[in-house]
Amino acid sequence: MAGSRLRRAGFVVGAAAVLTLATNTAAWVNWTAAPWGGNQGKLSQQWVDESYNEINFTGCDEVYGRKSVDIALWQQIDWGSDKKHDTSTFTNCFNGTGHKSTATQTGLPYDSYYFEIDKIGSGCVPCAVIVDEVNVDTTKAD
């Protein structure tokens, strides 16, 4: 009887460790996606940040010829509503292949973050932006 309780306790502890590992590996420090895109409301993958981050879009295009995209930075709040920190409008990345738009945020608390396509053009819900490369960089040194 004591042996089966011990096995069950070991299983519970092991399962909790696997669940913790699985949920913590979803957020990366730096990441790149090529290509990447979506319409209004599309969320990026998450990353873990401390104090500084940089979101880069290189080579943007939109089917209907829109020439801007607004990106909102969100902080993931466990057990509460996520916190919106900043919205940046990207236009330079629409000037052709290799052109980059960058949003930089500083003074952020250590946490998990993601961005959302907040608006395309002046607010085109069915529109979609395609980005040759999205890069999130949390190292201020470069």
Side-chain angles (χ1 to χ4, degrees):
M1 189 94 165
S4 68
R5 275 193 222 148
L6 191 55
R7 277 193 295 273
R8 273 185 273 175
F11 175 77
V12 170
V13 169
V18 167
L19 183 59
T20 300
L21 181 62
T23 58
N24 285 339
T25 57
W28 305 95
V29 176
N30 297 323
W31 62 269
T32 300
W36 186 87
N39 56 0
Q40 185 174 306
K42 167 87 183 245
L43 305 177
S44 73
Q45 74 181 54
Q46 293 184 359
W47 67 91
V48 176
D49 194 7
E50 182 175 16
S51 184
Y52 174 87
N53 76 60
E54 187 178 284
I55 301 168
N56 299 293
F57 278 26
T58 304
C60 299
D61 194 20
E62 199 285 313
V63 175
Y64 298 109
R66 305 299 194 271
K67 297 292 182 188
S68 69
V69 60
D70 290 1
I71 303 301
L73 175 68
W74 289 88
Q75 177 182 358
Q76 180 192 337
I77 306 295
D78 294 332
W79 317 112
S81 297
D82 291 357
K83 181 179 178 183
K84 188 175 186 178
H85 279 273
D86 193 16
T87 301
S88 299
T89 301
F90 289 174
T91 57
N92 192 52
C93 64
F94 288 91
N95 291 330
T97 303
H99 284 84
K100 181 166 68 170
S101 292
T102 300
T104 304
Q105 296 84 20
T106 59
L108 300 169
Y110 180 81
D111 214 337
S112 293
Y113 293 88
Y114 61 93
F115 64 82
E116 172 186 21
I117 297 177
D118 197 41
K119 184 170 65 171
I120 298 172
S122 59
C124 179
V125 175
C127 294
V129 65
I130 303 298
V131 184
D132 291 341
E133 181 178 283
V134 172
N135 172 266
V136 172
D137 183 1
T138 63
T139 54
K140 192 173 184 175
D142 50 78

